[in-house]
Structures are given as structure tokens and as C-alpha cells.
Amino acid sequence: MSATVIRPDRNFKYWIIAPAVFLLLAVGLFPLIYSLIVSFMRIDMMDTDTSFAGLYNYKQLFRDARLWQSLLHTLIITAIALPLELILGLAMAYLFLEKMPGRQIFVSLLVLPTIISPIVAGATWRLLLDNQYGPINQILGWFAGERVNLLWTISPTLVYPAIIFCEIWQWTPFMFLILLAALSNVDKSQTEAAEIDGASFWRSFRYIVLPAIWPVMAIAILIRGLDLFRIFDIIWALTMGGPGTMTETISVYTYNQGFKQFETSYTAAIAFLIIAMLTIIVTWAIRRMGLAK
Amino acid sequence: MSATRRSPGMRLAFRYLAAALITVVFVFPVYWLFIISFKTPDEIFAFPPVWYPKSLQLANYHVLFKDGDAATVGNSLILASVSTFFAMILGTIAAYSLVRFKTGGENLAVWIISQRMMPPVAIVFPLFLAYVFIGWVDSYVGLIVLYTAFSLPYVIWMMRGYIEDIPLELEESALVDGCSRWEVLWKVVFPMARAGLFATAVFTFVFAWNEFLFALVLTRTEVTTYTVQVTHYFGGQSNFWAKIAAMSVLGTIPVFFTVAVMQRFLVRGISMGAVKG
Amino acid sequence: MSDLKISNLHKHYGSFHAVKGIDLEVPSGEFTVLVGPSGCGKSTLLRTIAGLEDSSSGTVEIAGRDVTWARPRDRDIAMVFQNYALYPYLNVKDNIAFGLRARKFAEAEVEKRVSRAAGMLGIGHLLKRFPRELSGGQRQRVAIGRAIVRDAVLYLFDEPLSNLDAQLRDDMRVEIKRLHQELGRTMVYVTHDQIEAMTLADRIVLLRDGLIEQQGSPLDLFERPKTRFVAGFLGSPKMNFIPATATETGVALNDGTRLDMPGRSGMKTGQAVVLGLRPQYIAMAGQSLAKGHARVPVTIELVQPTGSRVQATMPLGGASIIAELAAHDVSRPGERTEIDIDMTRAVIIDPKSEQVI
């Protein structure tokens, strides 16, 4: 047998994956390389200086209070919204776990917020939270017994609750749906055996249910955590980062630097910082949770 | 263990009450959005708020169609459906390569899924400059390429699961029977995975349909999507409430319909296959 | 002329050496069965013939053409798979026609061939049905129909009957045998079931650990096994193996029982051997007048009726042996009786090399 025999279909597997990999490289790797190069220059609206500026932009990152504040805002929203979505979603999943007539109708209705565009969700809550004509203040007024005039999207003390309400409203159903499916897959004989053995609800949850649903829960937390980290649309629709820069998240800040200030090089450095942070977190999370399997 | 055990009837009644309450809370904002879109300006700016309008008048929609704003829904439709089409084809054959030939091993699969985590804001600026350079800003092709690429990790990830469920024998039988590798794809893999293709396509479509940031940055006037159009009505003090609501509803109804049809694939779709539903 | 010729074929999966150098030639029109325990490499060998696996080294020739690196579709073969491999989204007719259409046959020709194949298999009335509406046996017929509808040089069967229940398996075996006789095509059939191998094969190729242990006609392998493995693998119930010592006239068992062997040859007196006795060649004393029998007293321990025959377990020479006896010859366990052993059919094995002497 000669060594030059060419197996006809040998490259087929590369041909069919090539377009996808090429596209992913084009939108994934190109911006990365671009950001890396440009972040070592000093290009902004005024100046197109393409000479090597060393770590200038990266040093700037550390002095940029607004950047770290935006990161803090992002983390605050994530730290409050994510656990709440998880707990509420879990509670709702338990409520609907047992079969009851009409359950499917409830579930179908509850899914609606999740499939709406985040921009529309933000716009909807903008309408709901209007201080004068919005129904939320009106309803609060019934409880308070007097007219309520809360400036939800303007008042510094209320903007975060406003954003988090909207966020929770939109994404709790997402958690609910996934956890309901996960709970339905838990082996019932195990929880029943625990109940017969006299285990409390919490014990049975902690030692039987939680380990069983954890793989699914971990993925849900990862997906939501990453979405929250890059939260943009809801903020844009509700507050645009305001008042001032009070609710400016990392995504909103990066957008402003790039498209309002035209700090090309500096934006590139921020982008690179975000990608680096996310890469570390995601790699760690994927390894940790065995997601690759 | 609870000391007081309610009777089954009471328990069910309690569960219905809780279910109804929760559902009202979650559905009310959607209701409000829809109802505003049918209100007259007087009803919108009434105090106390009008909980349900006297009549469902369509003037707000009429304005959107008359001014041509409703065409943005058409733009969204073109972008979302064309990009979904390409993402499904390219993603499925790539997933097939990963599953059947273990192309690139585990590393390539992990790299592809990690692209799902890519923050749009970190790449949109370089892409914007590149698009300016090649003249793709405010063009269909620009956003279609971008949406296709952004959907690929999801499509590949989902289709991987569906393709794994196809018995290898079916493909081998086709190979022996005279099919080329490509024919095996069209004649066996795609028909076998069609339920998965359908379900995945719906979510890919919804993603592109609902997308905002790329559309905001990369469109101007020609291919504005409905999400961008909605934000055009935001103004400091003078929000065009009726337009916001009507535009949002126009953009939301198609999604509601698609997802309603796909109920049984919902969970597997949004959990990225973590739960096989 | 041979339709299939395999030369020095090797297959590695990483560090696992699945096929370790196989040479095989299958004459035209012959029904060859590859048989062996699981993991012996028989399926790998078949899949390499089909081109579904690459060979690591060696060559495969089909109809005199080297196809070692050819695609499956260029090998002129048809194959029946273990799990039927029917396309659930196509009806029976389209399933059978799949291969013809893939090869761009004219629709009239497709029509003609499908109805002929369906007729041969008795599934003409099922053509409009979908696989999910068929029973296991019907699905198997469709799978076979899809293979025979084509004019292939070589027909491959990969354990096609292993998913069927016992009764159906017997029926389908007959069917396949009949098809082979009608079509006269070259067929290679893989199974782990030695009864299938015995009943179907013109020639059995018995594989073990990636090598051919022995090949030949079923009767050849049954009566003249070359190794202990072959002797033990074929036949049901299994051959009895009893440790013994060679004597001048035959063998002596460990309890001192001496069995004379007519035509004894090859053994050195005093050598330790293993005596192989087929259960079928043991009978109750006095049933046969043929020469060469050894008469031994035994106590029957266990009786398993199988209908007209019984399988009786009894101790002999320190081992427990099974004899297949006529049903009415044995009454109950504990019975003391005498048996005749047909020593002309006995097999003597060298325990060290495991070769038959």
C-alpha cells in the first residue's frame, strides 16, 4: 500500500465545522486582538496617535473611579437580583410541582416576561413606575392611604429597587421554569423514603433534592450570572445609567466611553479587562461545575 | 414537620390562591403594556390611572403604520429569520462534526460554548469600526452576520445534544447504501434532528428578534429594528407612551405566538439542554 | 473466484489491538459466519470490510478490487444492521428504496425492485406503513429488504437477529438461509450465537482475541476442533472437559477409571491431558452396538428435561459432566446406572498448549 492514498472523506469533518469556527473567530478573536493592539495606543476623539503608548491606558484603568463604581453597580445588581430570582423561582417551582388542574395555563402565563425583549421589559416598567400616571404608585397609595409620588427612575434611593424589580420580574420565571423541570426529575421514591424515615422538609431538601437538582441549578446560575454581569438593555430603557452615573453598569460605561466619548484606546483597554475577567470566571465556573461534560 | 396538617381540599385551595396571586403579579405588567397601547391620550394621562379602557381603539397602531415606524418590525423579521436560517445550518453541521468525529476534542467544544459568554459590549466597538471600514453599518448583511455568529454557540450546544440521540447505525446504513457524507447530513441527520432543529430555531429567532445593543450601534435609519425604535420614543419628560406601548406590543406578539407553539421544547431550550425536556 | 479477500488486516483503537492480523478469503456465493465471544473483533472486522472503520494496516479486496481506502458506498456492498437502522421518517417502501434512490435509479426500476424484494420477504402489504407501526420481526424483514433490493457483490449482516425473541429468531434464521439459497450471493454474517453460526454457515470463521482460531465447515469445526477453545465454543450443551492421564491404550481419569481409545495417537504415555467429551456422544449403557465405547458406572445428580432429550449431570473422574440422553432413559436424580462413552469421538487436549492432539 502506498502512503499517498488519499482517503476521500478525510477532510469532511473540517469542512463542516470551518464556517462556524471562522465566524466565531471573526466576531470573537478579531475584536480581542484589535482591542489588545489599540489598548496600547492613545487614540481618542481628538487624537489618532497610533504610536506605542505602553501601559498608559491600563494604568488609567486603576485611576478611573467611574469604572470601578460601574463594576460595583453591576455587582450590586447581580448580588441582589440573582439570589432573589433563585429563591423566588425555587419557591414557585415547589408551588407548581404537584399536579393540579390548570397548571399548564399558569406556567404558560408565567413564562411571558422571560421571552419579552429586555428593552420592552424596561420600557414596560418605565410605564408602570411613572410617578404620576403609573399604576405602581397608585397601588402603593391604596396601602398607604394617601397619594404616593415616588420618583422611581429618578430618585437615588429608588433607582436600584426599580431596576431590580424589573430584572426579577423578567428572569424569575426563567429560574422557575428550569427548576420546575429539575424538581420534576427528582426521584420521588427517595424523598418519600426520607419522609417515612421522619426527615424534615429541610433535611430532605438539603440532602436529597439539592444534590439532585444542583447540576441544572448550577447552569441556570451561570447563565443568569453572566447575563447580569453584562446587563445593559434594562438599564438603558429604565435609567440610561442615571441619575448621573448612579446606575451606570460596566456595559453602559463601556458603551459611553466608546460611543459618546470616543475614547477608542481606553475603551479597548476596558473591553480587554472585561473579557479577561469573564474568561477567568467562566473558565473557573466551567471547570468547577463540570459543565464541559 | 408541620404540627398543623391542613385538609387536602384546603391545601389545594391555598395553592390555587397563591398560584393566582403570583400569576397576576407577573402578568400584570404585560397586561398594562397591552392596555396602554389601546388607550386614548386622555386615558393614558389620567389620574387615577385607567385600569381598563372603555374601548379598544387602534389609533396608536395606526400612527405607527402611517409614519412607517411599523416597518422596523419587518426589519427585525428579516434579520432574525435570515440569521436563524444560517445559524441553524452552520451550527448543525458544526455540531455534527463535534459529535461524530470529535473534531478538536473537548477543547474546541468548550471554546465554542465559552463564546456564548462573550459580552457584546466588549466586542461591539471594534466591530463597529470594522463595519465602518467595510461599509456594513446600517446594512442587513452586517447584522445578519453578527446575529448568526452570536447564535452559533447556542445552536451548536443544543444541536449537539439532539445529534447525540441519533443512532449511528442510521448514518452508517446510509453510507453503505450509497450516500456521500453530505447526503447523510441532508437525508438522515437533518430529518432525524428536525424536532431539535425546530425548537432550537425558535430560541435563536427570539434571541435575534429581541437583541438591542448590536442593533443600536450598527444601525442608523435603513435597518432599524423594533427594539431600537422603541427607545426612540424615550424622551426626558415627554415620553411618547402610546407609541412605546404599541411598538412594544407589535414586537412582542410574534414572540408570544412562536413560543406558544413551542411549549413542549421550552424548558430544554432556555436551559441550554441542561434539562432534557 | 473470491468476492472478498482480506490480507494481514490489523486494527488498533489507541492502545487496544482489536484485530491482530487476519487473512481471509470468501469464495463467491458462500455464506460465511464470523463468530466468537464478545470482544473477539468480529464486528470490527465486518465494519472494516464495510469501510465504516479504517484499517490500521492490511488490505481489503472486494470482487478483486482493492477497496482498503474506498468509501463504503464505493465498495458495492449491502449491509443489515443489528438495530435494523430504519429511517423513522420514511415509510417501508421509501426505506427499502433508499439505497436505490441514493444511487439514482430510475423510479420505474425502483418500483419494480422494491415490490420484488417485498414479495420475497412477505411484506408487500406493509409498504405504506412507518417503522414505528411494525413489529420487531417485520422491521427486521424491512431491513433485510433494504439490503437485498440492491445488486451488491457482498452482503454483510451485523448480528441482525440479536434483538428478536427466541421464536422469531428461529423463523428469521430460516428466512435468511432461504434467501441465501435463492439469491446465491456472497454473504458475511456476524454473530455471537453459535447455533446461528452452525445452522446458517457454509463456513464458520471462529475468532478469538482478534485472530482466527479456526475456520471450516460447521461440521468440521464441531467434530475436529483444533483447540480447546473451539471445542468448548461450539455445541450445546458445552463439551465436557475432564482432566486425565494418557495410558498405553487410552486415558485414565483421576479416580482411576480407565477409558480405552481406539485409534489412540499423538499422546505420550503418562502425559497429563484433558479429555473432551460431547454430551451428545454419551448414552445409556447398551443403546448402541457400535465399537469403541467405554462403559462407566455413574450416579446421576441432576436431570434437566428438554423435551425428547434430557441433560443429565453426573460426576465422572473428579469432574462434573453433562450427558444428553433420551428422555425416558433417566428417571430421577440419585439413580445409579452405567453409561457408554463414544471414545472414537473423544477429543484429547494438551492442557499446556490448549491444542487438540
Side-chain angles (χ1 to χ4, degrees):
Chain A
M1 181 186 57
S2 70
T4 52
V5 177
I6 293 167
R7 177 96 198 174
D9 294 330
R10 196 200 291 165
N11 290 324
F12 175 75
K13 62 177 178 176
Y14 298 115
W15 282 117
I16 57 176
I17 206 167
V21 170
F22 172 77
L23 263 184
L24 286 174
L25 286 177
V27 302
L29 201 63
F30 156 72
L32 202 69
I33 294 169
Y34 172 88
S35 297
L36 188 63
I37 295 169
V38 170
S39 68
F40 290 110
M41 301 171 180
R42 286 183 72 170
I43 304 173
D44 58 30
M45 199 171 6
M46 307 297 172
D47 195 359
T48 52
D49 178 7
T50 55
S51 64
F52 184 69
L55 290 173
Y56 173 82
N57 289 304
Y58 290 96
K59 283 182 194 144
Q60 285 295 105
L61 288 177
F62 290 98
R63 294 193 210 105
D64 186 351
R66 202 171 145 191
L67 168 71
W68 299 107
Q69 270 163 14
S70 71
L71 191 62
L72 183 68
H73 299 154
T74 312
L75 293 178
I76 288 172
I77 295 171
T78 307
I80 297 173
L82 188 54
L84 282 175
E85 286 167 16
L86 188 64
I87 292 165
L88 283 172
L90 193 60
M92 280 161 66
Y94 259 107
L95 179 66
F96 286 99
L97 182 58
E98 272 175 61
K99 292 244 181 320
M100 58 183 192
R103 182 173 75 155
Q104 195 51 46
I105 296 167
F106 282 119
V107 173
S108 304
L109 286 171
L110 283 171
V111 170
L112 297 183
T114 290
I115 56 177
I116 287 179
S117 168
I119 273 293
V120 172
T124 304
W125 279 80
R126 213 173 153 129
L127 303 180
L128 288 169
L129 292 168
D130 187 85
N131 62 314
Q132 246 187 317
Y133 309 112
I136 302 276
N137 277 350
Q138 179 69 18
I139 292 167
L140 290 175
W142 295 343
F143 289 105
E146 58 182 345
R147 192 169 167 183
V148 171
N149 190 20
L150 297 173
L151 299 162
W152 287 97
T153 55
I154 297 161
S155 157
T157 50
L158 292 174
V159 276
Y160 274 99
I163 289 168
I164 287 165
F165 279 148
C166 177
E167 176 63 34
I168 288 175
W169 171 76
Q170 181 159 39
W171 295 108
T172 298
F174 170 89
M175 284 287 187
F176 157 67
L177 214 58
I178 292 180
L179 293 173
L180 179 61
L183 283 178
S184 311
N185 287 341
V186 174
D187 184 359
K188 246 191 138 147
S189 61
Q190 288 187 13
T191 48
E192 279 165 0
E195 202 177 331
I196 290 165
D197 289 344
S200 67
F201 173 82
W202 290 113
R203 259 190 96 74
S204 145
F205 177 78
R206 170 72 186 78
Y207 293 103
I208 296 165
V209 178
L210 194 60
I213 64 173
W214 174 246
V216 173
M217 208 156 131
I219 289 177
I221 292 171
L222 182 68
I223 294 176
R224 284 304 305 138
L226 285 162
D227 285 349
L228 275 160
F229 186 81
R230 48 194 194 187
I231 184 170
F232 182 87
D233 300 10
I234 284 180
I235 309 276
W236 194 263
L238 269 178
T239 68
M240 290 192 91
T245 59
M246 258 210 73
T247 58
E248 199 172 57
T249 59
I250 190 85
S251 287
V252 177
Y253 178 63
T254 312
Y255 177 88
N256 285 338
Q257 286 299 310
F259 293 97
K260 292 209 169 133
Q261 315 292 328
F262 288 102
E263 290 279 357
T264 305
S265 284
Y266 188 55
T267 309
I270 299 172
F272 208 76
L273 177 76
I274 296 176
I275 291 175
M277 281 194 297
L278 271 181
T279 307
I280 292 167
I281 297 169
V282 170
T283 312
W284 175 81
I286 287 179
R287 292 272 137 84
R288 184 69 204 267
M289 303 200 268
L291 262 184
K293 301 278 142 21
Chain B
M1 235 176 303
S2 68
T4 54
R5 276 197 172 272
R6 283 184 293 266
S7 74
M10 280 285 286
R11 227 175 102 82
L12 190 65
F14 171 77
R15 285 179 64 214
Y16 267 110
L17 192 68
L21 210 65
I22 289 170
T23 308
V24 166
V25 168
F26 277 96
V27 174
F28 177 74
V30 181
Y31 165 79
W32 195 252
L33 178 71
F34 273 67
I35 220 68
I36 283 190
S37 74
F38 295 114
K39 285 181 178 175
T40 62
D42 286 349
E43 286 171 321
I44 293 172
F45 301 107
F47 183 86
V50 176
W51 298 98
Y52 50 90
K54 299 277 178 299
S55 64
L56 296 176
Q57 55 90 28
L58 296 170
N60 300 329
Y61 293 96
H62 189 75
V63 171
L64 292 183
F65 281 96
K66 201 183 72 199
D67 297 351
D69 295 10
T72 58
V73 175
N75 287 336
S76 287
L77 186 67
I78 291 169
L79 295 172
S81 43
V82 176
S83 66
T84 299
F85 175 79
F86 284 119
M88 291 313 299
I89 303 270
L90 299 184
T92 304
I93 60 178
Y96 180 74
S97 181
L98 288 179
V99 171
R100 276 293 171 263
F101 305 106
K102 309 273 178 279
T103 313
E106 198 72 355
N107 287 335
L108 185 58
V110 170
W111 177 74
I112 287 172
I113 186 64
S114 72
Q115 296 301 300
R116 157 76 171 73
M117 320 298 179
M118 189 63 87
V121 77
I123 62 162
V124 71
F125 191 66
L127 283 175
F128 170 70
L129 297 177
Y131 272 28
V132 169
F133 186 71
I134 53 180
W136 274 6
V137 173
D138 208 19
S139 72
Y140 285 112
V141 61
L143 273 185
I144 286 170
V145 166
L146 197 50
Y147 286 166
T148 303
F150 245 73
S151 298
L152 276 174
Y154 175 77
V155 174
I156 292 174
W157 197 253
M158 291 302 294
M159 290 316 296
R160 219 166 74 127
Y162 289 108
I163 289 170
E164 272 165 2
D165 294 344
I166 302 176
L168 185 58
E169 274 193 355
L170 290 183
E171 294 168 32
E172 293 181 334
S173 178
L175 284 174
V176 170
D177 270 350
C179 291
S180 68
R181 287 282 179 188
W182 285 104
E183 284 170 326
V184 169
L185 273 176
W186 310 135
K187 290 184 182 171
V188 180
V189 176
F190 276 85
M192 283 303 288
R194 70 189 159 199
L197 281 169
F198 208 39
T200 308
V202 166
F203 284 91
T204 308
F205 180 86
V206 170
F207 158 78
W209 182 264
N210 286 342
E211 205 283 330
F212 173 64
L213 180 57
F214 291 142
L216 175 68
V217 173
L218 299 174
T219 66
R220 291 291 172 270
T221 53
E222 295 305 312
V223 290
T224 317
T225 66
Y226 89 90
T227 50
V228 174
Q229 189 62 37
V230 168
T231 63
H232 285 173
Y233 306 130
F234 294 164
Q237 287 305 307
S238 58
N239 288 325
F240 300 100
W241 285 36
K243 282 188 173 182
I244 292 176
M247 197 69 229
S248 296
V249 169
L250 280 183
T252 302
I253 286 174
V255 178
F256 279 4
F257 269 114
T258 355
V259 175
V261 174
M262 300 307 293
Q263 275 285 336
R264 72 194 172 98
F265 299 111
L266 207 62
V267 176
R268 191 171 177 174
I270 67 170
S271 66
M272 296 188 81
V275 187
K276 296 219 169 176
Chain C
M1 196 190 112
S2 65
D3 276 344
L4 172 66
K5 188 174 173 214
I6 295 168
S7 311
N8 195 26
L9 191 77
H10 286 264
K11 175 70 189 173
H12 297 267
Y13 291 104
S15 62
F16 178 61
H17 200 169
V19 174
K20 299 175 181 166
I22 282 186
D23 293 291
L24 182 66
E25 209 168 334
V26 175
S28 278
E30 200 185 74
F31 199 115
T32 301
V33 174
L34 307 178
V35 68
S38 55
C40 70
K42 57 187 189 299
S43 275
T44 308
L45 180 58
L46 191 79
R47 292 168 57 79
T48 313
I49 295 169
L52 297 171
E53 306 268 356
D54 291 348
S55 71
S56 303
S57 70
T59 56
V60 178
E61 283 173 42
I62 292 174
R65 198 161 55 90
D66 185 342
V67 293
T68 313
W69 297 102
R71 290 181 292 191
R73 65 171 186 158
D74 299 329
R75 294 184 177 215
D76 212 356
I77 51 171
M79 186 160 172
V80 179
F81 290 84
Q82 186 172 3
N83 298 307
Y84 324 131
L86 301 183
Y87 306 109
Y89 47 91
L90 298 179
N91 65 23
V92 168
K93 185 187 162 192
D94 293 338
N95 261 289
I96 296 176
F98 188 90
L100 299 175
R101 290 189 178 139
R103 287 170 195 276
K104 313 274 187 287
F105 275 66
E107 201 53 30
E109 177 72 8
V110 170
E111 202 73 34
K112 204 178 85 195
R113 285 181 178 227
V114 169
S115 57
R116 207 183 107 225
M120 280 176 88
L121 290 158
I123 49 174
H125 59 296
L126 301 174
L127 289 179
K128 290 277 165 255
R129 299 238 194 123
F130 283 88
R132 62 176 176 278
E133 300 165 328
L134 302 178
S135 68
Q138 289 169 332
R139 287 179 201 182
Q140 189 58 70
R141 279 166 205 268
V142 177
I144 292 171
R146 203 170 53 188
I148 64 169
V149 79
R150 299 215 354 249
D151 268 324
V153 171
L154 191 61
Y155 291 79
L156 307 175
F157 296 82
D158 187 7
E159 307 215 24
L161 306 185
S162 59
N163 282 346
L164 299 178
D165 60 42
Q167 177 60 46
L168 217 47
R169 195 151 56 212
D170 292 348
D171 295 348
M172 287 309 296
R173 217 164 56 206
V174 175
E175 194 91 356
I176 291 173
K177 183 119 188 165
R178 191 174 59 76
L179 275 174
H180 176 245
Q181 282 168 6
E182 271 176 43
L183 298 169
R185 295 310 177 95
T186 313
M187 297 185 175
V188 178
Y189 187 105
V190 161
T191 180
H192 62 268
D193 179 353
Q194 51 103 4
I195 297 177
E196 259 174 51
M198 294 291 285
T199 50
L200 283 172
D202 291 328
R203 188 161 56 134
I204 291 180
V205 177
L206 181 54
L207 290 136
R208 181 193 186 190
D209 292 337
L211 284 168
I212 295 178
E213 185 88 356
Q214 187 176 352
Q215 54 174 310
S217 72
L219 211 58
D220 204 27
L221 264 67
F222 187 74
E223 293 186 333
R224 285 176 291 283
K226 284 187 184 149
T227 65
R228 176 176 177 153
F229 179 79
V230 177
F233 189 83
L234 297 177
S236 172
K238 299 234 167 293
M239 183 181 266
N240 299 297
F241 294 109
I242 312 164
T245 313
T247 64
E248 272 153 40
T249 52
V251 293
L253 305 185
N254 289 354
D255 63 355
T257 311
R258 296 176 78 86
L259 304 170
D260 286 347
M261 276 188 79
R264 166 197 182 281
S265 66
M267 291 185 285
K268 290 191 215 92
T269 305
Q271 181 190 4
V273 295
V274 171
L275 174 66
L277 298 175
R278 290 228 179 259
Q280 291 82 358
Y281 299 148
I282 302 171
M284 294 302 279
Q287 297 236 330
S288 165
L289 296 172
K291 285 187 182 147
H293 286 277
R295 185 159 296 182
V296 192
V298 290
T299 309
I300 290 171
E301 274 181 346
L302 196 67
V303 178
Q304 299 178 73
T306 60
S308 66
R309 313 286 288 171
V310 293
Q311 295 175 9
T313 309
M314 60 199 79
L316 179 68
S320 181
I321 67 162
I322 289 181
E324 197 171 85
L325 307 171
H328 299 288
D329 288 355
V330 193
S331 48
R332 61 181 186 280
E335 193 176 64
R336 287 195 58 83
T337 183
E338 285 190 316
I339 53 168
D340 275 347
I341 299 169
D342 184 352
M343 290 304 287
T344 59
R345 312 258 198 178
V347 173
I348 300 293
I349 297 154
D350 179 351
K352 289 202 193 72
S353 67
E354 304 241 305
Q355 297 289 315
V356 172
I357 298 170

